[in-house]
Amino acid sequence: KTVAGRGLAADVEMERGEVLYRDSQGRPAVVDIPLGKDHVTWLLTSLGPTSLSRNPSPDALALWASLLRRASLEPRWRLADRTPGQEASLLDVSFRVRGQRELFAFVTSFFGPTEGTLEIDLPQGQYVATDALSHEPAVLQQADGKWRVPLALVSEGTRVLRIEATDGDGFGAW
């Protein structure tokens, strides 16, 4: 499978490892190299930082999903009920743990607005959430074993949530 990319490293020679993806000219774009008892996946392309359109390439999204699966990484979040007509937007959520009791969720909507319910897999316990910028309380509810936050973001909109563990193990092993 080929994935269009720009800025590829020139004249890459593989002495060991595996080429996972090639670019449209047949050059290695993503390679997997053994390192010690494990392996490292190298991206030899600038795929991601630039986009020629406002819509993400389905091949690029499939590439990132396959790399996450290959590394046995599962997202700790999902958008449970996206509002119809917003399929072109791409929601990104990244987390930062601070200490044992605090988690920051950085939520960004790319390529269009996103409205729906963000579900986050949190460890057993009780939690409260605030908007990390305004310090106003944020809605965080537990239902069916999932923690849910309603979202309404404009295109390129961002929200930062501070989630605090008030009971339970917190985020030490998360």
Side-chain angles (χ1 to χ4, degrees):
K1 180 161 187 164
T2 62
V3 177
R6 295 172 23 166
L8 264 161
D11 302 322
V12 172
E13 293 184 22
M14 297 273 303
E15 293 180 10
R16 60 189 174 125
E18 176 185 2
V19 176
L20 302 178
Y21 292 94
R22 294 184 179 275
D23 72 1
S24 57
Q25 285 80 41
R27 298 175 297 203
V30 181
V31 298
D32 196 70
I33 309 285
L35 181 65
K37 294 180 181 177
D38 211 343
H39 63 93
V40 175
T41 301
W42 292 91
L43 305 176
L44 303 176
T45 175
S46 62
L47 181 66
T50 62
S51 177
L52 300 178
S53 72
R54 297 289 295 158
N55 295 316
S57 161
D59 286 341
L61 295 178
L63 166 67
W64 295 122
S66 72
L67 292 175
L68 290 173
R69 279 192 308 276
R70 184 176 177 84
S72 300
L73 297 175
E74 294 293 326
R76 295 177 190 243
W77 65 273
R78 72 204 54 77
L79 191 58
D81 58 350
R82 180 187 299 264
T83 300
Q86 297 181 352
E87 291 77 17
S89 67
L90 176 65
L91 187 68
D92 179 61
V93 181
S94 58
F95 298 100
R96 177 152 188 225
V97 175
R98 187 165 95 180
Q100 300 286 318
R101 314 299 297 166
E102 284 183 297
L103 174 73
F104 289 86
F106 301 86
V107 185
T108 304
S109 180
F110 293 102
F111 308 112
T114 300
E115 189 169 342
T117 302
L118 177 66
E119 285 186 348
I120 306 172
D121 299 330
L122 297 174
Q124 293 282 34
Q126 294 299 310
Y127 302 92
V128 296
T130 56
D131 184 291
L133 302 177
S134 70
H135 306 288
E136 295 291 322
V139 175
L140 176 66
Q141 298 174 326
Q142 187 178 27
D144 303 323
K146 305 289 182 195
W147 288 91
R148 296 184 172 146
V149 177
L151 280 183
L153 296 174
V154 298
S155 181
E156 313 304 322
T158 299
R159 185 170 186 196
V160 181
L161 296 169
R162 177 184 175 265
I163 301 172
E164 181 182 3
T166 58
D167 185 36
D169 294 335
F171 303 107
W174 200 68

